[in-house]
Amino acid sequence: NPGVFDTQLRAILRASGYGPVRLLLPMISGREEVLAVRRRVRLIQRQQRDSGHAVSEKVALGVMIEVPAAALAVHGFIDLVDFLSVGTNDLVQYLLAADRNNDALGELYSPLNPGVLRLLEHIISVAGKHGTPVAVCGEIAGDARLVPLLLALGLREFSLHPANLLEVRQAI
């Protein structure tokens, strides 16, 4: 919905005049979507400046990796983003075709599935080679039992519910 998106971008860009902001794009699947958003951001930045609003020259742009297409194609748009965040709940669900809210499929939904782990390693590796910060969010990031595995994959940034913070911190 371009009208709603433009309204959101105007608000975010106006806020950037008062301090740093980061723009995280959900459900991205490839390079063209990131390029389209970059063009839209530049256009609205110009419009806001022309209207007399203070807008930062640089707004950090990130992509939420939550669909397998984005995870597999991350090397194709990594040069366009300032950071990545891996939405593991959706990524695991879509990758394994197992609805996490369906009890009948509960055993199929596993963050320890070798395919999930390989994809996480791929994303973290590509981000590392390009010096792009990557965070993992979702249930995986808040599970202290999985912290050693995530660290071994190269993860250095966790995004988790505050209730899990102490346990994850101790695991680290």
Side-chain angles (χ1 to χ4, degrees):
N1 188 329
V4 171
F5 187 52
D6 286 354
T7 298
Q8 293 170 339
L9 284 178
R10 277 193 298 277
I12 292 166
L13 292 171
R14 283 186 187 181
S16 76
Y18 298 96
V21 297
R22 294 170 22 131
L23 181 61
L24 180 62
L25 307 174
M27 294 294 172
I28 293 295
S29 60
R31 185 175 182 84
E32 290 306 315
E33 293 168 314
V34 180
L35 286 169
V37 170
R38 283 236 176 251
R39 286 190 296 270
R40 201 78 199 144
V41 167
R42 283 193 302 272
L43 172 67
I44 293 176
Q45 278 176 317
R46 261 193 319 274
Q47 291 172 346
Q48 293 301 300
R49 281 191 201 101
D50 291 348
S51 297
H53 298 286
V55 175
S56 176
E57 285 292 324
K58 177 71 172 155
V59 173
L61 182 68
V63 167
M64 177 70 86
I65 307 290
E66 50 198 335
V67 296
L72 293 168
V74 68
H75 62 279
F77 59 80
I78 193 77
D79 61 314
L80 300 175
V81 299
D82 301 301
F83 63 98
L84 297 173
S85 186
V86 183
T88 56
N89 294 348
D90 286 332
L91 184 61
V92 171
Q93 175 174 298
Y94 299 145
L95 184 64
L96 301 179
D99 183 354
R100 67 182 179 263
N101 297 317
N102 184 336
D103 291 337
L105 301 174
E107 290 185 25
L108 296 176
Y109 181 91
S110 171
L112 295 176
N113 178 288
V116 172
L117 297 177
R118 285 187 184 119
L119 210 49
L120 283 173
E121 189 278 330
H122 170 70
I123 297 163
I124 293 167
S125 173
V126 170
K129 289 176 185 168
H130 290 271
T132 305
V134 60
V136 166
C137 60
E139 293 172 14
I140 292 174
D143 188 336
R145 297 169 301 169
L146 298 179
V147 166
L149 176 61
L150 293 170
L151 291 171
L153 291 174
L155 185 68
R156 297 297 177 261
E157 188 174 329
F158 295 70
S159 177
L160 55 129
H161 190 277
N164 301 84
L165 187 58
L166 182 58
E167 191 177 352
V168 168
R169 182 174 181 227
Q170 288 173 338
I172 291 172

